[in-house]
Amino acid sequence: MSMEDYDFLFKIVLIGNAGVGKTCLVRRFTQVKTVLLSNKKVNFFFSFTTLPRYAKKLQIWDTAGQERFRSITQSYYRSANALILTYDITCEESFRCLPEWLREIEQYASNKVITVLVGNKIDLADKREVSQQRAAEFSEAQDMYYLETSAKESDNVEKLFLDLACRLISEARQNTLVNNVSSPLPGEGKSISYLTCCNFN
Ligand SMILES: Nc1nc2c(ncn2[C@@H]2O[C@H](COP(=O)(O)OP(=O)(O)OP(=O)(O)O)[C@@H](O)[C@H]2O)c(=O)[nH]1
């Protein structure tokens, strides 16, 4: 499928501590998907970015460095239709840093952006440090969709991105989708009133 053939482009930014598996999650997912929606085929193109670690390091630089950090960070957050806030279920520290990430989201992202909480590395169940219940309570308090995945075993990775696509379409139907002015969504202007449910192929 060429770039012209897709109906929707979703820009998804993955954030979270270093080593939680952001890059691996993205590599597990095919960027182009065809989905059956109310018996119509809809083509998606997912564009992924993982927030680079160096951007965080710039925080400790001088004022000019901080300004640069802010504008880089802001541009990443601003262009996102959805954010995937990732932690590692075997790493308590990565979970404890979540409020810090949420503060960054609040500071830089649009208040309409969809944020999903992902606990990765469930294949390492015997090393689990963060219980499902704790994460579920946290996500509920923050009004976030929550899912656990294994990028290594491809567990729930498809579900993560396709559920997200479904929610983005639903938001688009309500005209609350964050539109990037410099690169408009290819689906913009198309009638999406037929989208009543998501049946993924
Ligand atoms: N067992 C297991 N290991 C994983 C999983 N996902 C990632 N890893 C491993 O965790 C390490 C870090 O993965 P990355 O995808 O590079 O993590 P990242 O969050 O992109 O890290 P930064 O680029 O440093 O921000 C690698 O050694 C991966 O092989 C998983 O689901 N299970």
Side-chain angles (χ1 to χ4, degrees), residues 11-197:
K11 292 188 173 183
I12 297 176
V13 175
L14 287 93
I15 54 175
N17 282 17
V20 296
K22 301 179 295 294
T23 309
C24 288
L25 278 169
V26 167
R27 288 202 181 131
R28 276 290 177 190
F29 189 75
T30 333
Q31 282 191 296
V32 176
K33 284 276 165 212
T34 300
V35 170
L36 199 60
L37 292 166
S38 300
N39 294 326
K40 284 197 177 195
K41 278 192 176 172
V42 181
N43 298 320
F44 297 96
F45 187 91
F46 291 85
S47 139
F48 296 112
T49 311
T50 64
L51 206 59
R53 230 185 320 166
Y54 77 88
K56 282 218 81 96
K57 283 185 182 160
L58 281 174
Q59 245 173 332
I60 56 164
W61 287 14
D62 57 17
T63 314
Q66 279 183 27
E67 277 311 312
R68 196 171 123 70
F69 163 76
R70 268 197 210 99
S71 68
I72 293 171
T73 309
Q74 207 157 22
S75 66
Y76 275 109
Y77 281 106
R78 282 276 158 82
S79 63
N81 296 122
L83 300 170
I84 297 181
L85 178 53
T86 315
Y87 69 94
D88 172 351
I89 65 143
T90 71
C91 176
E92 166 77 23
E93 172 68 13
S94 70
F95 186 78
R96 262 197 277 118
C97 284
L98 292 178
E100 200 185 312
W101 284 104
L102 287 176
R103 275 194 292 279
E104 194 164 294
I105 292 172
E106 204 172 317
Q107 190 178 357
Y108 297 114
S110 153
N111 57 6
K112 286 178 184 151
V113 79
I114 292 177
T115 308
V116 178
L117 180 66
V118 169
N120 189 38
K121 306 198 187 179
I122 48 168
D123 56 288
L124 301 175
D126 52 331
K127 292 189 179 140
R128 182 187 278 273
E129 290 184 1
V130 183
S131 74
Q132 260 181 308
Q133 192 189 340
R134 211 170 134 208
E137 280 168 9
F138 179 80
S139 66
E140 212 174 294
Q142 301 295 332
D143 203 20
M144 281 186 292
Y145 175 63
Y146 155 66
L147 197 68
E148 288 196 342
T149 58
S150 166
K152 187 179 175 195
E153 315 251 295
S154 279
D155 262 5
N156 268 348
V157 179
E158 267 309 269
K159 181 172 167 49
L160 165 66
F161 292 116
L162 293 180
D163 279 1
L164 192 51
C166 191
R167 292 195 52 201
L168 284 163
I169 292 168
S170 159
E171 291 285 316
R173 287 181 70 199
Q174 294 161 35
N175 286 326
T176 55
L177 190 66
V178 181
N179 287 331
N180 183 349
V181 178
S182 58
S183 54
L185 291 171
E188 259 182 275
K190 289 191 177 185
S191 166
I192 53 166
S193 56
Y194 61 85
L195 301 175
T196 53
C197 64

